[in-house]
Amino acid sequence: MAKKMTEEQAKQYWRRNLSLMVKLLVVWFAVSYGCGIMFVDALNQIQIGGYKLGFWFAQQGAIYVFVVLIFIYRSRMEALDREFGVEEE
């Protein structure tokens, strides 16, 4: 059974949750927009498996990074939930 948090603990929990989300969104934005649009010309100078790296990031890489970020968020939130005693059973 989850314990009841104080108002200060709830604020700290939410602040750390938002901090994690912002960090992950910055990574997602940098990969999807940066690698797929802004730096595509520079990345296209590198080829992997016959495909230009910029094209790969725009078509595949950003999606892979997004899926990895979902798993990172899940594991970090599980740790945060355990730390604050609000984990699900």
Side-chain angles (χ1 to χ4, degrees):
M1 177 138 195
K3 69 177 182 179
K4 181 95 170 135
M5 284 194 286
T6 66
E7 187 174 333
E8 184 57 38
Q9 288 173 321
K11 286 180 182 179
Q12 184 180 10
Y13 176 83
W14 184 242
R15 200 171 20 249
R16 290 182 53 193
N17 183 3
L18 286 177
S19 173
L20 174 61
M21 283 192 290
V22 167
K23 290 172 187 173
L24 295 177
L25 284 172
V26 166
V27 170
W28 175 65
F29 177 79
V31 169
S32 62
Y33 187 75
C35 295
I37 298 172
M38 291 182 59
F39 305 118
V40 71
D41 293 330
L43 290 172
N44 278 340
Q45 304 303 313
I46 303 167
Q47 289 197 4
I48 296 178
Y51 295 101
K52 295 178 178 180
L53 188 59
F55 174 78
W56 183 83
F57 263 110
Q59 300 302 313
Q60 305 280 330
I63 295 168
Y64 291 147
V65 169
F66 183 67
V67 170
V68 168
L69 291 176
I70 290 171
F71 285 104
I72 291 171
Y73 179 75
R74 180 193 56 85
S75 70
R76 296 276 173 93
M77 282 307 298
E78 283 179 353
L80 187 64
D81 287 350
R82 276 192 305 275
E83 181 181 334
F84 283 87
V86 293
E87 69 272 9
E88 295 182 14
E89 296 176 7

